[in-house]
Amino acid sequence: MDTSARIMIVGAGVVGCSTAYHLARAGVTDVLVVDQGPLFATGGSSSHAPGLVFQTNASELLTKLAAYTVERFSAEELDGRRCFHQVGGIEVAATEARWDDLERKRGLAAAWGVPAELIGPNEVHDRIPQLDPSRIHGGLYVPTDGIAKPVRAAEAMAREATRRGVRFRGNTEVIGFDVTGGRVRAVRTTDGSVEVETVLCCAGIWGPKIGSLAGVSIPVQPVAHQYAVTGPIADLGASKAAGGDEVTQPLLRHQDCSMYFRQIHDRWGIGSYQHRVLPVQAADLAPSAPRGGGAEAPSDGGAWKGMSSVHPFTPQDFKQPWDDACELLPALGRAEIAEGMNGLMLFTADGMPVLGPSREIDNFWVAEAVWITHSAGVGRAMSEWLTEGSPRLDLRAADLRRFEEFAHSSSYVAERSAQSFREVYDVIHPQQPPARPRPLRTTPFHEREEQLGAVFLEANGWERPHWYDCNEHLVAGREIVAPGEWAGRYFSPIVAAEHLAARERVAMFDMTSLARAEVSGRGALELLQRLTTNQLDRKPGYVTYTLMLEHTGGIRADITVARLSETEFQVGCNGPRDIAWLRRHADETTAVRDITGGTCCIGLWGPKAREVLAPLADEDVSHEAFRFFRAKRLHVGEVPVTALRLSYVGEMGWELYTSAEFGRRLWDLLAAQGTEHGIFPAGRGAFNGMRLEKGYRAWGGDMSSEHDPDEAGLAFAVKPDKGDFVGRDALLRRREQPVRRRLCCLRIDDGTVLMGSEPVFAGSGRTAAGFTTSAGYGHSAGASLAYAWIPAELAEPGTELRVSYFDRRHPATVVADPVFDPDMSRMRC
């Protein structure tokens, strides 16, 4: 047994093998891959997975990971046998609602560069003759989708990695870790101890157990998923004994019934998510113990037998799915179920993988809850992250550190993972909030907000008012433009009324859910200067908008930094991932403290904001004494407040922070003082619309680490002459080449209100030139607006484009950014 390795990968399933393969191709070969099972049908999820690879997803990240998986597996063979059958994929619609969803999905495919087309019932039948075309409205056909052979692909990639120097060891169980100084020094296995520099856990359903041995929480839930294989079906294909191709027909998804189908020679493999949720406790899982099947699993019914990742089939859960399957594919009525299983796979609270370094141990990394669909893409991304310092794809939505402490609790993981399982094939609106557990995180203003008729949506556990029913009177006398049915799913005319009234009077916005950190100590300034792009070496009392970059020069985050004293800063962040980044780079001279939960914030914004604040404040808040982008500590009545004069809605005002204990008093003081000025509470719906027409970017929505500041229109926040900072050199190298794409504002000329992620076309071309990000109606500007990434040559104001929404193209025009108050006179008064 090896006694040392630069990187140890725990798990030789398809994700572990893909990572090892890509590490080897990057020149990193001191890699040891261990698995408790035999190589390469190790007995985990890779060994029993049906292998569907369908690329189109609402997530750009998941689509890109899947597209690379198709590319990688299509290029792999094992002993002359294919690792991928590129037979295409069809998702059918049995309802009007699902057909509408397929129209949206065709737009997503175009936006993310996946070839796809909508086809009629008879065209679906032509490709899958066993299907009854009278049962469907049509389907979405993606010709590059297909069926992967995950065990075969894993072994093919492992062979190449081995040829380059990577070592693989089967039947080797990890039994512990030697951890000192916050790092894993050695991994203890049944074959001895191995000194390591880095550990990557790709153990699948056993991942939580491996993590617990190192003191690392991996918030995933193993859940059983039903899969059955029929007996022979006439005219489907040749049997394996007859030497016929395993797959010739497209994979089929019947999402109205939460089912999928794949051909296996002359049989059908049928998977169902329609059944009750069947969770399994990770601690109760036995070690993998497959018996047979090998690289062909699960093509032959029963090849999965003996695997501890497979539980007994429960026929009672398959009764309704079987009836639904026979209705769609009548030929099944002449067949029977030959074999079945309840195969275990991992689910997370938000349906995304968990990737990257852990929060507890510096050198313990994770790649878990990864479907076969995305496996090769994840392996490449993990290799880049480990060797280059950051992945080339933006992995924020899959970063393990996106989850806060509450989201690691077993009850939260179980509840939300069960919901993720139930919703696998549901039509999910982008704003649809989870049902449980709620309420989880409430602000000190929550009771007042409930009394005022707040309609709450949820974000990261926080209950956030979207609008207030008490403001219904603000609608009277206004011409309100309402979005269409889909964009207006979580819309009320009150949203528009709050938006317009905030520009006329003054409103209170609950901004508590925005993450913030206190960075303090004698090394605080040096830390922040090293991690950010703007000049922060300014006198106390200044607030600075700045960026944090990846080593590649891409935008890791945008933040605001308020210098409160020589050694104390308040940093407005995007979430726990940003705070983890600050902590990761801090040394003993600097403390980074998450103060989000212990504090609260009211955004007091509007032309009459000063008239409300001035009588309550014990400091001068005139423009001359308290200028734009300044900070002061003062009292509002009896309440100690940190006041920042900035605004993300484009109106004059302040962000007023105080400790949670004073929150309700702050609300009541402002509400009482503002009565004569028409003050009212306003929700996130108004906030988002006002931000959009003011042109303020939302990190993670409008830009990410795949974009640089110049492309995103944020070059003003970069000061290369201030000295070295993370990403500076890479950004300067990028500036040696012309900008290829830009984030631009579009006016949708026919007034159609979009949702974001729609493809943008130049002329009548079939290939999308770009895609939209933030979108909505600018009620003050009187126009439907959307931001979009498009080629630089199309970014000139006045350029005419077209945006596809529900598979219909709408005229759009590039307009100057921002469309509202471009000289910022309303905020600087």
Side-chain angles (χ1 to χ4, degrees), residues 81 85 175 232 294 335 344 402 435 457 462 495 517 552 670 723 729 752 759 794-795:
R81 295 175 297 171
H85 298 279
I175 57 176
L344 300 186
R402 71 190 184 273
L457 299 184
W462 288 103
V495 170
T552 59
L670 293 171
D729 292 345
T752 300
L794 300 177

PDB file of all heavy atoms in Angstrom, residues 81 85 175 232 294 335 344 402 435 457 462 495 517 552 670 723 729 752 759 794-795:
ATOM      1  N   ARG A  81     -15.603  -1.046 -26.731  1.00  0.00           N
ATOM      2  CA  ARG A  81     -17.014  -0.842 -26.412  1.00  0.00           C
ATOM      3  C   ARG A  81     -17.256   0.621 -26.065  1.00  0.00           C
ATOM      4  O   ARG A  81     -16.481   1.239 -25.333  1.00  0.00           O
ATOM      5  CB  ARG A  81     -17.432  -1.727 -25.233  1.00  0.00           C
ATOM      6  CG  ARG A  81     -17.373  -3.216 -25.550  1.00  0.00           C
ATOM      7  CD  ARG A  81     -17.684  -4.038 -24.320  1.00  0.00           C
ATOM      8  NE  ARG A  81     -16.691  -3.835 -23.273  1.00  0.00           N
ATOM      9  CZ  ARG A  81     -16.818  -4.290 -22.031  1.00  0.00           C
ATOM     10  NH1 ARG A  81     -17.910  -4.959 -21.688  1.00  0.00           N
ATOM     11  NH2 ARG A  81     -15.870  -4.077 -21.149  1.00  0.00           N
ATOM     12  N   HIS A  85     -23.895   6.167 -25.648  1.00  0.00           N
ATOM     13  CA  HIS A  85     -24.756   5.944 -26.808  1.00  0.00           C
ATOM     14  C   HIS A  85     -25.501   7.260 -27.089  1.00  0.00           C
ATOM     15  O   HIS A  85     -26.462   7.594 -26.392  1.00  0.00           O
ATOM     16  CB  HIS A  85     -25.755   4.825 -26.521  1.00  0.00           C
ATOM     17  CG  HIS A  85     -25.117   3.501 -26.247  1.00  0.00           C
ATOM     18  ND1 HIS A  85     -24.678   2.665 -27.251  1.00  0.00           N
ATOM     19  CD2 HIS A  85     -24.841   2.869 -25.078  1.00  0.00           C
ATOM     20  CE1 HIS A  85     -24.163   1.565 -26.714  1.00  0.00           C
ATOM     21  NE2 HIS A  85     -24.251   1.666 -25.399  1.00  0.00           N
ATOM     22  N   ILE A 175     -10.878   4.355   7.276  1.00  0.00           N
ATOM     23  CA  ILE A 175     -11.399   4.127   8.631  1.00  0.00           C
ATOM     24  C   ILE A 175     -11.105   5.288   9.581  1.00  0.00           C
ATOM     25  O   ILE A 175     -11.556   5.271  10.727  1.00  0.00           O
ATOM     26  CB  ILE A 175     -10.838   2.816   9.222  1.00  0.00           C
ATOM     27  CG1 ILE A 175      -9.309   2.839   9.231  1.00  0.00           C
ATOM     28  CG2 ILE A 175     -11.371   1.620   8.446  1.00  0.00           C
ATOM     29  CD1 ILE A 175      -8.686   1.621   9.902  1.00  0.00           C
ATOM     30  N   PRO A 232     -38.762  -9.140 -22.284  1.00  0.00           N
ATOM     31  CA  PRO A 232     -38.638  -8.809 -23.713  1.00  0.00           C
ATOM     32  C   PRO A 232     -39.920  -8.200 -24.277  1.00  0.00           C
ATOM     33  O   PRO A 232     -41.027  -8.598 -23.907  1.00  0.00           O
ATOM     34  CB  PRO A 232     -38.341 -10.161 -24.361  1.00  0.00           C
ATOM     35  CG  PRO A 232     -37.753 -10.985 -23.264  1.00  0.00           C
ATOM     36  CD  PRO A 232     -38.450 -10.560 -22.015  1.00  0.00           C
ATOM     37  N   GLY A 294     -20.325  -6.341 -12.954  1.00  0.00           N
ATOM     38  CA  GLY A 294     -19.173  -5.748 -13.600  1.00  0.00           C
ATOM     39  C   GLY A 294     -19.503  -4.521 -14.396  1.00  0.00           C
ATOM     40  O   GLY A 294     -20.404  -3.772 -14.079  1.00  0.00           O
ATOM     41  N   ALA A 335     -46.119  -6.946 -21.623  1.00  0.00           N
ATOM     42  CA  ALA A 335     -44.871  -7.357 -20.976  1.00  0.00           C
ATOM     43  C   ALA A 335     -45.088  -7.401 -19.465  1.00  0.00           C
ATOM     44  O   ALA A 335     -46.190  -7.176 -18.962  1.00  0.00           O
ATOM     45  CB  ALA A 335     -43.753  -6.379 -21.329  1.00  0.00           C
ATOM     46  N   LEU A 344     -30.059   3.699  -4.342  1.00  0.00           N
ATOM     47  CA  LEU A 344     -29.793   4.876  -3.522  1.00  0.00           C
ATOM     48  C   LEU A 344     -29.005   5.919  -4.302  1.00  0.00           C
ATOM     49  O   LEU A 344     -28.076   5.591  -5.057  1.00  0.00           O
ATOM     50  CB  LEU A 344     -29.015   4.492  -2.261  1.00  0.00           C
ATOM     51  CG  LEU A 344     -29.693   3.499  -1.324  1.00  0.00           C
ATOM     52  CD1 LEU A 344     -28.877   3.338  -0.048  1.00  0.00           C
ATOM     53  CD2 LEU A 344     -31.113   3.925  -0.990  1.00  0.00           C
ATOM     54  N   ARG A 402     -21.921  27.282   0.486  1.00  0.00           N
ATOM     55  CA  ARG A 402     -23.128  28.106   0.346  1.00  0.00           C
ATOM     56  C   ARG A 402     -24.103  27.844   1.495  1.00  0.00           C
ATOM     57  O   ARG A 402     -24.977  28.668   1.768  1.00  0.00           O
ATOM     58  CB  ARG A 402     -23.827  27.822  -0.985  1.00  0.00           C
ATOM     59  CG  ARG A 402     -24.520  26.445  -1.084  1.00  0.00           C
ATOM     60  CD  ARG A 402     -24.971  26.174  -2.502  1.00  0.00           C
ATOM     61  NE  ARG A 402     -25.712  24.935  -2.705  1.00  0.00           N
ATOM     62  CZ  ARG A 402     -25.164  23.755  -2.945  1.00  0.00           C
ATOM     63  NH1 ARG A 402     -23.839  23.651  -2.977  1.00  0.00           N
ATOM     64  NH2 ARG A 402     -25.901  22.689  -3.147  1.00  0.00           N
ATOM     65  N   ALA A 435     -41.796  24.966   0.797  1.00  0.00           N
ATOM     66  CA  ALA A 435     -42.942  24.938   1.711  1.00  0.00           C
ATOM     67  C   ALA A 435     -42.527  24.772   3.163  1.00  0.00           C
ATOM     68  O   ALA A 435     -43.160  25.349   4.067  1.00  0.00           O
ATOM     69  CB  ALA A 435     -43.876  23.787   1.312  1.00  0.00           C
ATOM     70  N   LEU A 457     -41.807  35.725   0.585  1.00  0.00           N
ATOM     71  CA  LEU A 457     -41.078  34.673  -0.110  1.00  0.00           C
ATOM     72  C   LEU A 457     -39.846  34.359   0.731  1.00  0.00           C
ATOM     73  O   LEU A 457     -39.584  35.039   1.725  1.00  0.00           O
ATOM     74  CB  LEU A 457     -40.694  35.111  -1.527  1.00  0.00           C
ATOM     75  CG  LEU A 457     -41.865  35.444  -2.463  1.00  0.00           C
ATOM     76  CD1 LEU A 457     -41.351  35.769  -3.860  1.00  0.00           C
ATOM     77  CD2 LEU A 457     -42.880  34.314  -2.519  1.00  0.00           C
ATOM     78  N   TRP A 462     -34.446  32.981   5.115  1.00  0.00           N
ATOM     79  CA  TRP A 462     -35.055  34.243   5.572  1.00  0.00           C
ATOM     80  C   TRP A 462     -36.448  34.424   4.982  1.00  0.00           C
ATOM     81  O   TRP A 462     -36.665  34.206   3.791  1.00  0.00           O
ATOM     82  CB  TRP A 462     -34.208  35.447   5.144  1.00  0.00           C
ATOM     83  CG  TRP A 462     -32.914  35.613   5.888  1.00  0.00           C
ATOM     84  CD1 TRP A 462     -31.667  35.296   5.433  1.00  0.00           C
ATOM     85  CD2 TRP A 462     -32.742  36.153   7.195  1.00  0.00           C
ATOM     86  NE1 TRP A 462     -30.731  35.610   6.379  1.00  0.00           N
ATOM     87  CE2 TRP A 462     -31.354  36.140   7.469  1.00  0.00           C
ATOM     88  CE3 TRP A 462     -33.621  36.658   8.158  1.00  0.00           C
ATOM     89  CZ2 TRP A 462     -30.828  36.599   8.679  1.00  0.00           C
ATOM     90  CZ3 TRP A 462     -33.089  37.108   9.361  1.00  0.00           C
ATOM     91  CH2 TRP A 462     -31.713  37.081   9.610  1.00  0.00           C
ATOM     92  N   VAL A 495     -46.861  45.624  -6.036  1.00  0.00           N
ATOM     93  CA  VAL A 495     -45.419  45.723  -6.288  1.00  0.00           C
ATOM     94  C   VAL A 495     -45.110  46.983  -7.091  1.00  0.00           C
ATOM     95  O   VAL A 495     -44.202  47.758  -6.749  1.00  0.00           O
ATOM     96  CB  VAL A 495     -44.917  44.463  -7.033  1.00  0.00           C
ATOM     97  CG1 VAL A 495     -43.482  44.672  -7.522  1.00  0.00           C
ATOM     98  CG2 VAL A 495     -45.013  43.239  -6.141  1.00  0.00           C
ATOM     99  N   ALA A 517     -20.317  41.108   7.348  1.00  0.00           N
ATOM    100  CA  ALA A 517     -19.261  40.653   8.240  1.00  0.00           C
ATOM    101  C   ALA A 517     -18.556  41.842   8.856  1.00  0.00           C
ATOM    102  O   ALA A 517     -18.470  42.916   8.245  1.00  0.00           O
ATOM    103  CB  ALA A 517     -18.263  39.792   7.482  1.00  0.00           C
ATOM    104  N   THR A 552      -8.132  34.111 -11.729  1.00  0.00           N
ATOM    105  CA  THR A 552      -8.267  34.232 -13.180  1.00  0.00           C
ATOM    106  C   THR A 552      -8.649  35.634 -13.636  1.00  0.00           C
ATOM    107  O   THR A 552      -8.682  35.914 -14.832  1.00  0.00           O
ATOM    108  CB  THR A 552      -9.349  33.265 -13.671  1.00  0.00           C
ATOM    109  OG1 THR A 552     -10.593  33.594 -13.011  1.00  0.00           O
ATOM    110  CG2 THR A 552      -8.988  31.824 -13.349  1.00  0.00           C
ATOM    111  N   LEU A 670     -39.106  55.102  13.033  1.00  0.00           N
ATOM    112  CA  LEU A 670     -39.138  55.603  11.660  1.00  0.00           C
ATOM    113  C   LEU A 670     -40.573  55.668  11.141  1.00  0.00           C
ATOM    114  O   LEU A 670     -40.964  56.637  10.467  1.00  0.00           O
ATOM    115  CB  LEU A 670     -38.298  54.704  10.759  1.00  0.00           C
ATOM    116  CG  LEU A 670     -36.783  54.707  11.013  1.00  0.00           C
ATOM    117  CD1 LEU A 670     -36.101  53.616  10.195  1.00  0.00           C
ATOM    118  CD2 LEU A 670     -36.166  56.069  10.703  1.00  0.00           C
ATOM    119  N   GLY A 723      -1.857  48.796  -5.926  1.00  0.00           N
ATOM    120  CA  GLY A 723      -0.961  47.748  -5.458  1.00  0.00           C
ATOM    121  C   GLY A 723      -1.521  46.389  -5.809  1.00  0.00           C
ATOM    122  O   GLY A 723      -2.552  46.267  -6.469  1.00  0.00           O
ATOM    123  N   ASP A 729      -3.072  40.634 -11.795  1.00  0.00           N
ATOM    124  CA  ASP A 729      -2.236  40.339 -12.959  1.00  0.00           C
ATOM    125  C   ASP A 729      -3.041  39.673 -14.068  1.00  0.00           C
ATOM    126  O   ASP A 729      -2.867  39.976 -15.253  1.00  0.00           O
ATOM    127  CB  ASP A 729      -1.066  39.449 -12.547  1.00  0.00           C
ATOM    128  CG  ASP A 729      -0.076  40.183 -11.647  1.00  0.00           C
ATOM    129  OD1 ASP A 729      -0.142  41.422 -11.593  1.00  0.00           O
ATOM    130  OD2 ASP A 729       0.743  39.509 -10.994  1.00  0.00           O
ATOM    131  N   THR A 752     -43.276  42.861 -23.582  1.00  0.00           N
ATOM    132  CA  THR A 752     -43.302  41.547 -22.933  1.00  0.00           C
ATOM    133  C   THR A 752     -42.335  41.535 -21.758  1.00  0.00           C
ATOM    134  O   THR A 752     -41.170  41.927 -21.894  1.00  0.00           O
ATOM    135  CB  THR A 752     -42.913  40.448 -23.928  1.00  0.00           C
ATOM    136  OG1 THR A 752     -43.837  40.450 -25.010  1.00  0.00           O
ATOM    137  CG2 THR A 752     -42.906  39.085 -23.260  1.00  0.00           C
ATOM    138  N   PRO A 759     -32.801  33.249 -24.519  1.00  0.00           N
ATOM    139  CA  PRO A 759     -31.787  33.452 -25.552  1.00  0.00           C
ATOM    140  C   PRO A 759     -32.022  34.749 -26.322  1.00  0.00           C
ATOM    141  O   PRO A 759     -33.165  35.154 -26.543  1.00  0.00           O
ATOM    142  CB  PRO A 759     -31.960  32.237 -26.466  1.00  0.00           C
ATOM    143  CG  PRO A 759     -33.389  31.828 -26.281  1.00  0.00           C
ATOM    144  CD  PRO A 759     -33.730  32.161 -24.858  1.00  0.00           C
ATOM    145  N   LEU A 794     -22.340  43.884 -30.740  1.00  0.00           N
ATOM    146  CA  LEU A 794     -23.785  44.130 -30.723  1.00  0.00           C
ATOM    147  C   LEU A 794     -24.202  45.046 -29.579  1.00  0.00           C
ATOM    148  O   LEU A 794     -25.390  45.304 -29.396  1.00  0.00           O
ATOM    149  CB  LEU A 794     -24.542  42.801 -30.600  1.00  0.00           C
ATOM    150  CG  LEU A 794     -24.330  41.775 -31.707  1.00  0.00           C
ATOM    151  CD1 LEU A 794     -25.096  40.492 -31.387  1.00  0.00           C
ATOM    152  CD2 LEU A 794     -24.781  42.338 -33.057  1.00  0.00           C
ATOM    153  N   ALA A 795     -23.224  45.538 -28.799  1.00  0.00           N
ATOM    154  CA  ALA A 795     -23.537  46.225 -27.550  1.00  0.00           C
ATOM    155  C   ALA A 795     -23.797  47.716 -27.701  1.00  0.00           C
ATOM    156  O   ALA A 795     -24.079  48.399 -26.709  1.00  0.00           O
ATOM    157  CB  ALA A 795     -22.398  46.006 -26.550  1.00  0.00           C
TER     158      ALA A 795
END
